[in-house]
Amino acid sequence: MTTRRRFLKLTAAASLAPAVASAQGTGQGTGQGAGRVVVVGGGFAGATAARTLRALEPKLTVTLVEPNRIFTACPFSNGVLAALREIGQQQFGYDGVARAGVTLAQTSATAVDAAAKSVTLADGNKLSYDRLVLAPGIDIRWDALPGYDEAAAEKMPHAWKAGAQTVLLRQQLQAMEDGGLVVMSAPANPFRCPPGPYERASLIAYWLKIWKPKSKLLILDAKDAFSKQRLFQNAWAQLYPGIIEWVSLSQGGKVTSVDPSTLTLVTDFARHKAAVANVIPPQKAGAIAQQAGIADRTGWCPVEPVAFESTLQPGIHVLGDAAIMGGMPKSAFAANAQAKVCAAAIVELLAGRKPVDPLLINTCYSLVAPDYGISIAGVYRPDKGVLADVPGAGGISPLEVVGGFRAQEALFADSWFKTITAETFG
Ligand SMILES: Cc1cc2nc3c(=O)[nH]c(=O)nc-3n(C[C@H](O)[C@H](O)[C@H](O)COP(=O)(O)OP(=O)(O)OC[C@H]3O[C@@H](n4cnc5c(N)ncnc54)[C@H](O)[C@@H]3O)c2cc1C
């Protein structure tokens, strides 16, 4: 597994090398390759894209539009719920992005005029661009689950955008009496971080086992299968027997409405009254995507698989969770990888050259307990107009292990978080 992962990393680095070399070779001193790129959204995709663009072509004028001074990362935020980390350890500023020569516009983008190639900002300014990168992450579909609106989220937090919601859910867990029932709901695919709900269930169960041992956790799922399912379920049987119960779609797990006044989650077959309710609702691309006309009827943004340019609006690249990336899941690892590929492709396009076909990797680590990690990796390349999974190239943690294998994967997860946040924010 380790050897394979090291090989995959080398392959990814190699796939970027020709584009980087040629951009430096022709862009320098000639003025070729220079231009204006606006990046909307300073998360894992957008901040990485902005920094990489400047690293590849220092002549580019790159502006990053992001309303928050501090970014709060979702990966590892499940550890905050289980009191393994503090919310401050999830937070990153933009000084490193500014040091890369990126201009920061600390406001929101409110409109995109694709024909005029300009972005309107909430502070009233307008930015013109040669290429636009939209990486706004997700928005909650407030109309998808009857009873679940913004007010309901203050009682039944989703905590699927890290920050105040994460802190609220942690406070609710800590205030709960021992013996209380925690109910989580997981949405149908696609959604941000496919293994995320199950990592969350695991870490909450870890915390309950220590601090509220009479309590239980129920997962109501709108799916019959989930990422790393056998690994999670084996670990639950071993570590948290009698604590976690998972109800699949075909067992009646789909939540059809909620009642925030009584913390009740309703399915076709039952009403579950929770002591703490964590509703992870259906999602869509961040609102600016709809406004810019790059989201289709699914709510997500279709892109071509080489430079991740919108198939609906030329000149606009879409990265990260907002985009439909074929087989690639919505993860921070994927968002960061797509951003590097896209930055290299934009440098090529601005210089009038054709970007090379990329090879991308995703790895998703999950913690089942602080010293128990599992992972799944995939490799993706363009095939028939989409980013397709390369058969046989990925990997998943083995079901049977000896020695400190799971503890080592937990350490890999920790290193991954440090690396990805350093790469993204500098
Ligand atoms: C609980 C949980 C655990 C997770 N664990 C992992 C993990 O272990 N590994 C992993 O790889 N991934 C994990 N993820 C998934 C990961 O968080 C996302 O896939 C990743 O954040 C996507 O990056 P992004 O840049 O597309 O979106 P984001 O990181 O959400 O960034 C979007 C940014 O755009 C900004 N924005 C939105 N609209 C506008 C606008 N109009 N103008 C300006 N700015 C705007 C937002 O403020 C935000 O800063 C997890 C997610 C959750 C919820």
Side-chain angles (χ1 to χ4, degrees):
M1 198 62 200
T2 319
T3 322
R4 169 176 286 174
R5 206 168 287 139
R6 208 170 280 145
F7 163 73
L8 295 180
K9 270 185 195 149
L10 290 173
T11 329
S15 74
L16 272 178
V20 175
S22 59
Q24 285 168 346
T26 57
Q28 302 291 321
T30 62
Q32 240 189 322
R36 295 157 306 169
V37 183
V38 173
V39 181
V40 173
F44 285 99
T48 305
R51 277 167 49 83
T52 311
L53 280 161
R54 287 282 308 168
L56 296 182
E57 177 48 277
K59 284 177 184 293
L60 280 179
T61 304
V62 181
T63 307
L64 177 66
V65 183
E66 164 63 53
N68 301 310
R69 249 180 231 288
I70 301 289
F71 177 80
T72 307
C74 286
F76 272 54
S77 66
N78 289 328
V80 176
L81 300 176
L84 299 169
R85 307 166 59 77
E86 295 306 317
I87 195 75
Q89 291 171 272
Q90 299 295 116
Q91 293 180 323
F92 302 86
Y94 289 96
D95 290 353
V97 178
R99 271 198 304 277
V102 174
T103 305
L104 298 175
Q106 206 216 314
T107 181
S108 294
T110 53
V112 173
D113 185 336
K117 291 196 164 184
S118 75
V119 181
T120 304
L121 306 181
D123 65 10
N125 285 322
K126 259 191 190 190
L127 297 172
S128 297
Y129 63 81
D130 298 308
R131 292 266 158 187
L132 174 62
V133 177
L134 288 185
I138 58 153
D139 265 354
I140 304 296
R141 279 182 186 271
W142 296 114
D143 56 350
L145 182 60
Y148 199 68
D149 56 15
E150 273 145 304
E154 294 305 311
K155 297 203 162 146
M156 307 169 101
H158 53 77
W160 221 240
K161 289 186 175 195
Q165 280 272 305
T166 317
V167 173
L168 176 61
L169 183 54
R170 170 169 157 160
Q171 284 166 348
Q172 290 184 348
L173 287 166
Q174 294 196 333
M176 184 181 81
E177 282 189 16
D178 190 9
L181 177 67
V182 180
V183 185
M184 288 179 61
S185 76
N189 294 321
F191 65 100
R192 159 174 283 183
C193 194
Y198 314 97
E199 179 190 69
R200 175 172 291 179
S202 308
L203 292 183
I204 291 178
Y206 168 82
W207 183 83
L208 292 176
K209 191 174 164 182
I210 297 171
W211 299 104
K212 319 248 169 178
K214 290 187 227 141
S215 302
K216 292 207 176 339
L217 188 151
L218 179 66
I219 310 167
L220 299 173
D221 211 324
K223 301 179 290 304
D224 273 329
F226 60 86
S227 177
K228 293 179 266 191
Q229 181 166 350
R230 285 185 69 197
L231 286 163
F232 273 115
Q233 288 182 318
N234 285 359
W236 293 345
Q238 184 196 333
L239 301 177
Y240 312 122
I243 298 183
I244 299 180
E245 184 187 350
W246 176 66
V247 186
S248 68
L249 170 69
S250 46
Q251 293 166 326
K254 185 178 177 186
V255 173
T256 51
S257 69
V258 299
D259 178 357
S261 65
T262 56
L263 300 189
T264 302
L265 293 88
V266 182
T267 67
D268 280 343
F269 302 97
R271 298 174 66 86
H272 302 275
K273 191 167 164 15
V276 172
N278 171 215
V279 176
I280 305 172
Q283 300 143 35
K284 60 181 180 181
I288 190 69
Q290 335 283 322
Q291 192 289 326
I294 54 164
D296 67 14
R297 265 187 288 172
T298 65
W300 305 104
C301 307
V303 293
E304 51 76 23
V306 176
F308 313 129
E309 192 165 347
S310 165
T311 54
L312 303 178
Q313 295 283 6
I316 304 182
H317 303 257
V318 196
L319 299 176
D321 286 359
I324 302 168
M325 286 286 177
M328 241 184 156
K330 299 185 187 302
S331 78
F333 193 120
N336 171 272
Q338 291 155 13
K340 287 186 262 183
V341 165
C342 178
I346 287 177
V347 169
E348 293 297 280
L349 288 166
L350 288 173
R353 293 185 296 261
K354 194 171 170 289
V356 293
D357 271 15
L359 187 67
L360 291 101
I361 296 171
N362 176 65
T363 306
C364 282
Y365 291 100
S366 302
L367 292 179
V368 183
D371 59 353
Y372 192 123
I374 54 177
S375 66
I376 185 164
V379 183
Y380 308 86
R381 69 172 168 223
D383 187 24
K384 300 184 188 76
V386 296
L387 258 191
D389 205 343
V390 178
I396 184 164
S397 307
L399 282 172
E400 305 294 336
V401 293
V402 287
F405 193 94
R406 305 286 192 220
Q408 198 184 24
E409 286 235 88
L411 289 176
F412 288 160
D414 195 51
S415 308
W416 169 78
F417 182 75
K418 288 186 182 121
T419 306
I420 202 96
T421 50
E423 257 198 20
T424 302
F425 299 102

